[in-house]
């Protein structure tokens, strides 16, 4: 359920087409939490995925992941790429604190096998495909380091970022920050892009987010977003949903 503050905020929603106050408040909140310089609202998380898959060349390429959510895989494969899940071998039976981790040995082998064909890497936190299990900060850092060494974009599917941050806080002392917010921010700091269905850990009725660091990629997102979501300030959402 949404919080009392969120319900109250919905009554303050600014429905202006462009320059809505609710849009500025959303930008302020998401920049503070994620550190991403460019954050775009969308009507759902799958819309954020569609836009990402439209602005990154995918035909004939592969996307590696700890476990692609069904809409993520659908958008990737619709754009002509192959999605490859690389969970740990006993992810569903091992009862580990971080059963959502990617298998780093398999990941290294896939990076070598596909070399220049890897379009980007998606880490889903928590890992829905593996039963909603958490991903460790150590695993996220290892993947981020490998991606940056090879100049491969690292995408965080962050719909359950808060739950994952809590699990790191609870079960991985060496990976957590001083607060839950700092732990969450550390996760986002590892990524070049994030997609998010806000209907999960942001507990809103409707909405998604797409965040990117690269200025040139952000401009491509702006152009493509208008095709299906509307103006970039509201991304297909009512002001009340932006506010919540």
């Amino acid at each position: 359920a949404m919080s009392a503050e969120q319900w109250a905020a919905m009554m303050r929603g600014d429905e202006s087409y462009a320059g809505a106050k609710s849009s500025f408040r959303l930008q302020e909140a998401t920049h503070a939490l994620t550190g991403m310089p460019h954050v775009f609202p969308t009507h759902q998380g799958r819309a954020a995925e569609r836009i990402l898959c439209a602005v990154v060349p995918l035909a004939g390429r592969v996307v590696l992941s700890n476990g692609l959510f069904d809409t993520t895989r659908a958008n990737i494969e619709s754009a002509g790429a192959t999605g490859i899940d690389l969970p740990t071998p006993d992810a569903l039976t091992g009862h580990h604190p971080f059963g959502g981790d990617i298998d780093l040995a398999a990941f290294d082998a896939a990076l070598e096998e596909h070399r220049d064909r890897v379009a980007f890497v998606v880490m889903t936190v928590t890992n829905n495909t593996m039963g909603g299990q958490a991903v460790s900060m150590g695993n996220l850092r290892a993947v981020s380091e490998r991606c940056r060494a090879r100049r491969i974009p690292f995408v965080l599917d962050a719909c359950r970022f808060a739950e994952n941050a809590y699990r790191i806080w609870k079960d991985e002392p060496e990976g957590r920050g001083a607060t839950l917010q700092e732990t969450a921010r550390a996760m986002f700091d590892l990524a070049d892009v994030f997609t998010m269905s806000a209907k999960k850990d942001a507990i809103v009725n409707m909405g998604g987010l797409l965040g990117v660091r690269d200025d040139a990629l952000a401009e491509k997102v702006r152009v493509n977003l208008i095709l299906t979501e509307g103006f970039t300030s509201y991304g297909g959402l009512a002001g009340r949903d932006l506010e919540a």
Side-chain angles (χ1 to χ4, degrees), residues 16 27 41 66 71 89 108 208:
S16 302
Q27 291 291 327
N66 61 333
T71 61
D108 287 336

Side-chain angles (χ1 to χ4, degrees), residues 100-114:
D101 283 357
I102 200 169
D103 184 328
L104 289 175
F107 182 53
D108 287 336
L111 287 173
E112 186 63 26
E113 176 184 355
H114 299 289

